[in-house]
Amino acid sequence: MSIRHTFECGEGVLRLIPNFVPRRFSQPGHRLRLHPDDYYALGTPRGAIKERWFSSVIAAMNGPLAPSDEGMSYVAPFDSTEEKFLFRDAVEELGAEIIGQTLMDRYGTWPMYSKFFDFNLPLFFHLHLSDEAAARVGRKGKPEAYYFPPQLNNHLGTFPATYFGFDPTITKAQVRQRLLDFEKRDTRITDLSRAFRIELGTGWYTPPGVLHAPGSVLTYEPQWNSDVNSVYENVASGEVYPYDFLVENCPEGKKQDIDYVMSLMDWEKNVDPDYRAKYFRPPVVCEHSDERHIEKWIVYANDHFSAKELTIMPGETVVVSDGAAYGCILLQGHGRFGAYEAEAAVMLRFGQLSADEYFVGEAAAKAGITITNASRWEPMVILKHFGPSHPDVPTHVPTAE
């Protein structure tokens, strides 16, 4: 079946195939709803599967053992994978028909993706590069956001708190010395940081250049089309990280230049005493919510992407409209999503199809998707991720009461 025919048969909606991604570092949290026998489905040299990517047109930076399409989403036109095609190819062929004219004119592709990352231990203290710094190594900068879905966090791992930046009293000289000692000792660089306890049902926005060590909960992470970082922590939860992790995205002539590595930081944001007030994201309930469904903004107030959580009450059918194309993942419940039967995954085998992930083209989003919760008891819960073209996204963080 052709890309266009698949898109038309789905009434402007594509069903995506589960896209699990291994990582060679840390320990899995086992909350991805993947069968316990399949966390090393790609072999132990690749590391355990710790992420699932959504609506992705880019490949993961996973080293020389990774296939060229790892991390890229595929579309399932039938109930098998035999005639699957890349979501990237669908975007290239359909263009503005699927992602909208604004994104097509500005970026020429779908510019963001989202993921679940699932670590049982807190992740290493690291930053993502700005556009300017990333361009020096032929890459793009990476802002990102977090949301902590209760439905996928039946346990919170070993350390449910996230480090952000440095305490405002810390100096650049103190940070510089820790980096100089990267290969000499456990630098314990998070001694200089500050941690915030994770609150399920809330999230954060993390700009490029800000050091962060995400906590040990499964996290929904909308982000820009990039997979580029610099790891400032050399020993995290007893796991040792080589110097290459610190400088792998530095130009060849700068890999031994600690001052250049320091320049990757946005120092003012890292030591901002009002960091929580600026970057914490409590949910914002949409005005159209009613007794049949509740929709909340969970990622907002940035120039790059946004996200919503949609909850449909048991037995209800609603038509939900949005002003932009979006990808989505069903967390809880079963019923129908537009032309498709839909159900949240409970336990998937690696390579198995599912009915929990979709991409909604702009015209279908604006016309409205009819969604039915077929359960008599459970709510249906869907997370939706957008590029920088939704007309209704909140631009400010609500003032704390």
Side-chain angles (χ1 to χ4, degrees), residues 63-181:
L65 297 180
S68 60
D69 62 349
E70 187 159 274
M72 300 178 72
S73 295
Y74 278 86
V75 177
F78 300 110
D79 290 338
S80 74
T81 60
E82 291 182 3
E83 295 189 45
K84 69 180 182 180
F85 53 83
L86 281 168
F87 173 59
R88 181 191 64 186
D89 292 345
V91 172
E92 288 180 357
E93 179 170 327
L94 298 169
E97 285 185 71
I98 186 167
I99 66 172
Q101 198 65 54
T102 298
L103 296 184
M104 199 65 198
D105 289 346
R106 190 178 302 171
Y107 305 105
T109 190
W110 178 245
M112 62 85 64
Y113 68 107
S114 195
K115 71 169 68 160
F116 291 150
F117 68 77
D118 178 40
F119 295 87
N120 190 53
L121 303 172
L123 201 53
F124 41 61
F125 197 50
H126 66 287
L127 60 78
H128 299 292
L129 278 62
S130 67
D131 282 335
E132 181 182 3
R136 299 186 194 116
V137 289
R139 303 191 183 279
K140 297 178 181 178
K142 183 184 175 185
E144 62 188 24
Y146 315 132
Y147 178 70
F148 311 116
Q151 294 84 0
L152 293 169
N153 280 296
N154 57 303
H155 71 92
L156 300 180
T158 62
F159 188 76
T162 294
Y163 288 100
F164 289 109
F166 299 106
D167 186 86
T169 63
I170 297 301
T171 66
K172 287 184 179 181
Q174 290 173 289
V175 176
R176 188 176 189 276
Q177 187 58 54
R178 304 276 174 140
L179 294 182
L180 286 170
D181 292 344

Side-chain angles (χ1 to χ4, degrees), residues 129-252:
L129 278 62
S130 67
D131 282 335
E132 181 182 3
R136 299 186 194 116
V137 289
R139 303 191 183 279
K140 297 178 181 178
K142 183 184 175 185
E144 62 188 24
Y146 315 132
Y147 178 70
F148 311 116
Q151 294 84 0
L152 293 169
N153 280 296
N154 57 303
H155 71 92
L156 300 180
T158 62
F159 188 76
T162 294
Y163 288 100
F164 289 109
F166 299 106
D167 186 86
T169 63
I170 297 301
T171 66
K172 287 184 179 181
Q174 290 173 289
V175 176
R176 188 176 189 276
Q177 187 58 54
R178 304 276 174 140
L179 294 182
L180 286 170
D181 292 344
F182 196 95
E183 295 185 285
K184 298 177 182 177
R185 63 182 179 88
D186 179 354
T187 65
R188 297 177 180 150
I189 195 168
T190 52
D191 288 351
L192 311 180
S193 186
R194 51 194 165 174
F196 299 88
R197 187 179 179 88
I198 288 172
E199 179 184 353
L200 297 184
T202 71
W204 294 81
Y205 172 65
T206 304
V210 170
L211 273 299
H212 54 286
S216 58
V217 303
L218 183 143
T219 302
Y220 173 64
E221 184 184 33
Q223 60 201 270
W224 207 235
N225 273 353
S226 179
D227 194 21
V228 58
N229 59 36
S230 175
V231 177
Y232 274 42
E233 187 172 18
N234 63 343
V235 182
S237 301
E239 188 167 354
V240 179
Y241 293 95
Y243 185 79
D244 182 60
F245 272 51
L246 175 66
V247 299
E248 64 180 336
N249 290 296
C250 295
E252 284 301 321

